[in-house]
């Protein structure tokens, strides 16, 4: 039987960091899409930037890292 996948010890802390950043960005009218963990290869969030409540067409990708 293959080994089972294990949760990382930092999973809850990582989720808290992603959630806090999403809240921060959405409070500033950014449109935030979380990258599905199955497709997470160095990006946690895709963010559409806005200006005067209009989407600008500019998008950034963010990797959330925890301090050591």
């Amino acid at each position: 039987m293959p080994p089972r996948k294990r949760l990382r010890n930092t999973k809850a802390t990582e989720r808290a960091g992603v959630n806090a950043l999403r809240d921060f960005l959405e409070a500033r009218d950014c449109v935030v899409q979380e990258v599905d963990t199955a497709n997470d290869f160095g990006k946690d969030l895709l963010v559409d930037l806005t200006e005067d409540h209009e989407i600008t067409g500019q998008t950034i990708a963010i990797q959330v890292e925890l301090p050591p």
Side-chain angles (χ1 to χ4, degrees):
M1 173 182 258
R4 294 181 183 178
K5 291 185 178 183
R6 298 185 60 133
L7 291 177
R8 295 181 310 274
N9 292 337
T10 59
K11 185 165 180 63
T13 305
E14 289 173 3
R15 294 293 323 141
V18 168
N19 292 338
L21 183 55
R22 181 190 317 103
D23 291 345
F24 175 84
L25 293 167
E26 288 177 345
R28 285 150 184 82
D29 296 326
C30 294
V31 179
V32 179
Q33 298 176 54
E34 191 167 343
V35 175
D36 186 299
T37 55
N39 297 317
D40 180 5
F41 297 102
K43 297 175 188 76
D44 292 310
L45 302 170
L46 298 176
V47 182
D48 290 308
L49 304 179
T50 62
E51 187 174 301
D52 297 324
H53 303 289
E54 293 182 357
I55 296 174
T56 64
Q58 296 174 319
T59 303
I60 60 173
I62 298 176
Q63 172 68 43
V64 178
E65 293 288 332
L66 299 174

